[in-house]
Amino acid sequence: MNPWKGPHGRCIGARIRLRALLLVMLVAVLARPPAAYAQTAPPVRIGVLAFLGAEVAESIWSPLVTHLEASMPERRVVLTYYDVDGLRQAVQRRAVDFIITNSGQYAALESEFGVSRIATLESPGVPSPSQAIGSAVIARADRRDLNALSDLRGKRVAAVGEDAFGGFQVAWREFRRQGVEPEDFARLDFLGFPMQRIVTAVASGQADAGVVRACLLEELARDGALRLADFKVLSPRRVEGFACGLSSELYPDWPIATLPHTDLRLAKAVATALLSMPASSKGYAWTVPADYRTVHDLFRDLQIGPYAYLRETTLQALARRYWPFLLFFFAVLAGWIVHTVRVEQQVHARTAALREALAQRDAAEAGMRAHQEQFDHLSRLSILGELSGTLAHELNQPLAAIANYAQSLVRRLDSGRYTPENLAEASREIAAQAERAGGIVHRIRAFARKRVAVRERRPLADLVREAAALFGGMLPNAPRIGIADRLPPGAQVEADTLQIEQVLLNLLKNAADAMQDLPPDARVIDVALEREARNYRIAVRDHGAGLAPASTRHLFEPFFTTKPDGMGLGLSICKTIVEAHGGRLWAEANAGAPGMTFIFTLPADDLIP
Ligand code: ADP
């Protein structure tokens, strides 16, 4: 620290105060309006860091009081002396309006409480107010083993205190720059103020080296307390304009600072008074505020003071610092976990419900399939029943032919006109007719057989031709069936062929029924096959009486029939079958001609996945 000593001590301040008092009394005696402000205005409270005790500080700072009171006669100036902790508490309690402290504490209070410098002390013998405070790390001159700061590894080092700015922290930064940490010393003793203790410890060999503020050695030597030649400064530096031995870089001088609550007009008055204050006999004065960023840099490097949190890397420290974020984070995490568990439970519950529903649906579908198969079987039997009369007739033809050939053979044998050629021809005919009858029976049996639905790939045209042949074989006077095959070559469907044949037989039989009353020549059914977009289209057209539009709406309803012996199930079954194959079945009245056309579609095989 650079003490500021006034030229006249306390007596000037006292004299000025006395004069002011006399003046006030005189004014009162003359019954003029009193200068009420001087008595009622609160005092200007300045807190001063004084680690050497109030008495020493009083001698240093009282000229400042004198000057301020002279500059602001209406205000009283009260200096209060504190140690480092006391001054901090005073700032916290707003017990002072201004503080004068070392650069280190100023930077800390600036970060913590927002104190703001208004002037910086200007000391003699330093390059500038920004380069005024430094440390000297001293050792006895006869210690040849100690020259640089890095030589102190494993040595005993003394300093005033961990919080001392020039007395330790400034040197600490230099130790670190040279790769030595306080832990690397054999011992680090903090001996407290006054700083001469450090010098004494070094001189007596109690410590190998000591940290003191720069210029202390020179001041003590000037006072005759020691011989400069007995000591040396480790890692000495030369700074232009700085006359003392130095081991560190230089930092700004002491500032005077306002607190956030300090009245701005008062701050301006004090700043103006300080800047206009003449230099003391020893050359001390106040100047514009210096830049204290270098002090912040030091704290940041050492991770102390306002930057102490940088060393707090433990979980506890992080928790202390970031607890609102952590609280929020854990709250979100807990919420998320609760939400996830709930969603998981819901998913489980819904999956179970869904599985049950699917099982029920599968069971229902299986039941429906069984019913459908049963129903299909019955409907086929019903078609056969309806066709049975005509079947007998159909079978009669080959049987009659067989009987004919057999009888003619018998006759030829009886009449002696029997030749082996006759026998061979009759036998061939009999065999052919028997085969024809067998074919009819076989197809009927295949159609009537109870079976499980099977899908296979078949050319659509073949299916239609087979159904037409079966139909022709079943009816005695079956209408002519014309098949117009406009399908692309090789057009196939994937279908239950028996079911599709059933649909075709139903449509053909209905067409034949509708044309019952027409003369045989006019009884023609046209079946047209073509490709339509993604489907194949099968249209069965008759020339019958058609149906009244009112009835058309009910065509596909079960048990709708206009026939005396009809069951009214054929078309509804056909619709079910076609839709189960992914197609559609509908009816249209022939445009401009009698009769109806029943059309159904089936997906083209190349589109079946
Ligand atoms: P069913 O033949 O036993 O009556 P369907 O379901 O096959 O049962 O037919 C229902 C009704 O639809 C028939 O009774 C008839 O009135 C009508 N129908 C079906 N096809 C034709 C058609 N080609 N022309 C006119 N009416 C028809």
Side-chain angles (χ1 to χ4, degrees):
M1 170 196 103
N2 291 308
W4 197 93
K5 284 184 183 158
H8 311 294
R10 293 184 70 191
C11 50
I12 284 188
R15 230 182 290 154
I16 289 175
R17 268 204 300 275
L18 186 65
R19 252 188 247 157
L21 193 66
L22 284 173
L23 193 67
V24 170
M25 284 165 67
L26 185 66
V27 167
V29 167
L30 291 175
R32 295 260 173 94
Y37 189 62
Q39 285 158 11
T40 56
V44 179
R45 302 166 303 170
I46 304 178
V48 181
L49 176 65
F51 33 70
L52 295 181
E55 212 168 300
V56 180
E58 179 84 14
S59 70
I60 297 170
W61 298 110
S62 59
L64 176 72
V65 176
T66 312
H67 178 77
L68 286 180
E69 288 190 339
S71 307
M72 302 181 297
E74 74 283 5
R75 301 293 290 259
R76 212 157 56 79
V77 177
V78 176
L79 288 194
T80 315
Y81 302 103
Y82 300 97
D83 61 7
V84 172
D85 286 341
L87 186 59
R88 186 184 169 279
Q89 282 167 20
V91 170
Q92 195 172 21
R93 290 199 321 270
R94 299 170 160 212
V96 290
D97 305 310
F98 296 88
I99 54 163
I100 297 173
T101 185
N102 69 26
S103 330
Q105 189 178 26
Y106 165 70
L109 295 179
E110 183 181 49
S111 297
E112 196 176 359
F113 297 109
V115 303
S116 175
R117 60 199 179 272
I118 55 171
T120 294
L121 196 66
E122 198 173 17
S123 303
V126 299
S128 76
S130 300
Q131 290 181 289
I133 307 284
S135 291
V137 181
I138 56 165
R140 268 192 3 211
D142 57 5
R143 290 297 296 264
R144 288 172 179 270
D145 57 325
L146 301 179
N147 294 303
L149 298 184
S150 53
D151 297 335
L152 293 178
R153 205 172 274 115
K155 300 288 188 293
R156 295 159 302 155
V157 177
V160 280
E162 200 170 8
D163 291 340
F165 184 65
F168 178 63
Q169 292 170 339
V170 167
W172 183 4
R173 191 185 196 192
E174 301 306 326
F175 288 135
R176 176 164 292 185
R177 281 175 173 164
Q178 293 206 21
V180 190
E181 292 294 331
E183 303 86 65
D184 300 330
F185 302 143
R187 280 175 58 178
L188 174 60
D189 294 325
F190 292 119
L191 306 180
F193 287 101
M195 215 175 253
Q196 284 94 316
R197 286 182 189 170
I198 315 303
V199 182
T200 311
V202 172
S204 67
Q206 184 192 336
D208 297 311
V211 180
V212 293
R213 67 175 170 80
C215 297
L216 178 73
L217 273 189
E218 287 80 356
E219 283 166 21
L220 292 174
R222 252 198 319 275
D223 294 347
L226 55 82
R227 281 189 334 123
L228 262 187
D230 292 340
F231 296 91
K232 63 175 166 187
V233 172
L234 306 186
S235 293
R237 290 185 179 215
R238 291 252 139 264
V239 176
E240 190 70 36
F242 193 75
C244 307
L246 181 69
S247 305
S248 72
E249 72 176 80
L250 290 171
Y251 295 87
D253 217 329
W254 285 40
I256 178 166
T258 58
L259 273 64
H261 71 263
T262 308
D263 177 42
L264 274 183
R265 279 170 309 170
L266 177 61
K268 185 180 171 188
V270 169
T272 312
L274 291 175
L275 294 178
S276 67
M277 187 169 166
S280 73
S281 60
K282 291 192 176 173
Y284 293 98
W286 290 95
T287 185
V288 290
D291 184 353
Y292 287 80
R293 265 180 302 182
T294 49
V295 181
H296 282 280
D297 292 345
L298 175 140
F299 283 158
R300 205 177 295 114
D301 268 10
L302 298 178
Q303 300 180 331
I304 57 172
Y307 304 94
Y309 68 88
L310 292 174
R311 352 176 109 204
E312 296 183 346
T313 49
T314 60
L315 270 184
Q316 210 181 1
L318 284 176
R320 222 181 9 253
R321 188 146 178 259
Y322 295 110
W323 70 264
F325 299 102
L326 287 175
L327 196 69
F328 177 71
F329 173 75
F330 282 118
V332 169
L333 189 71
W336 180 76
I337 289 172
V338 169
H339 175 73
T340 308
V341 168
R342 277 189 52 196
V343 166
E344 194 77 358
Q345 280 175 344
Q346 282 176 355
V347 166
H348 270 299
R350 295 215 177 133
T351 308
L354 202 66
R355 213 174 280 133
E356 199 174 319
L358 280 175
Q360 282 175 0
R361 201 195 65 181
D362 286 351
E365 271 180 8
M368 261 173 59
R369 247 193 327 271
H371 281 128
Q372 184 69 41
E373 276 160 16
Q374 183 73 9
F375 194 63
D376 287 356
H377 178 63
L378 288 176
S379 98
R380 283 196 296 277
L381 290 185
S382 125
I383 291 180
L384 283 179
E386 287 176 38
L387 296 171
S388 60
T390 55
L391 273 175
H393 172 81
E394 181 68 4
L395 278 176
N396 248 351
Q397 282 186 346
L399 290 177
I402 289 166
N404 258 343
Y405 281 112
Q407 281 165 7
S408 85
L409 271 182
V410 171
R411 269 200 306 277
R412 279 177 190 266
L413 269 177
D414 290 347
S415 63
R417 286 187 289 125
Y418 163 79
T419 63
E421 288 77 29
N422 294 143
L423 179 63
E425 191 195 340
S427 301
R428 270 199 298 275
E429 277 300 325
I430 287 170
Q433 291 301 327
E435 210 166 292
R436 188 179 157 202
I440 292 170
V441 171
H442 174 75
R443 270 180 286 170
I444 289 167
R445 277 185 57 200
F447 184 70
R449 201 170 46 227
K450 194 171 182 184
R451 52 184 277 287
V452 176
V454 185
R455 295 223 167 167
E456 56 184 332
R457 275 191 167 200
R458 287 287 305 278
L460 178 59
D462 288 1
L463 263 179
V464 173
R465 265 183 222 110
E466 269 171 34
L470 186 61
F471 180 72
M474 287 173 169
L475 280 184
N477 298 312
R480 233 172 350 101
I481 300 174
I483 298 175
D485 180 1
R486 289 191 282 274
L487 289 172
Q492 298 197 75
V493 285
E494 186 168 290
D496 184 325
T497 48
L498 218 57
Q499 286 188 335
I500 300 303
E501 272 183 12
Q502 187 179 341
V503 172
L504 285 161
L505 279 177
N506 245 307
L507 298 181
L508 292 171
K509 186 184 159 292
N510 280 347
D513 288 347
M515 296 188 294
Q516 231 168 11
D517 301 333
L518 295 183
D521 282 356
R523 298 171 66 203
V524 179
I525 303 174
D526 298 312
V527 180
L529 309 176
E530 50 199 32
R531 170 84 184 244
E532 182 195 70
R534 302 155 75 89
N535 295 313
Y536 295 129
R537 177 187 151 107
I538 302 101
V540 179
R541 176 188 165 106
D542 64 57
H543 304 279
L547 198 64
S551 306
T552 313
R553 272 189 290 136
H554 306 291
L555 263 180
F556 298 98
E557 288 172 9
F559 308 113
F560 169 78
T561 181
T562 55
K563 299 169 193 169
D565 53 349
M567 282 194 20
L569 283 175
L571 283 179
S572 87
I573 291 172
C574 290
K575 195 170 166 66
T576 311
I577 290 174
V578 168
E579 285 172 359
H581 280 77
R584 226 158 54 78
L585 167 64
W586 71 99
E588 290 172 0
N590 289 342
M596 296 193 74
T597 303
F598 281 77
I599 302 149
F600 70 97
T601 60
L602 290 173
D605 69 327
D606 49 322
L607 296 169
I608 295 167

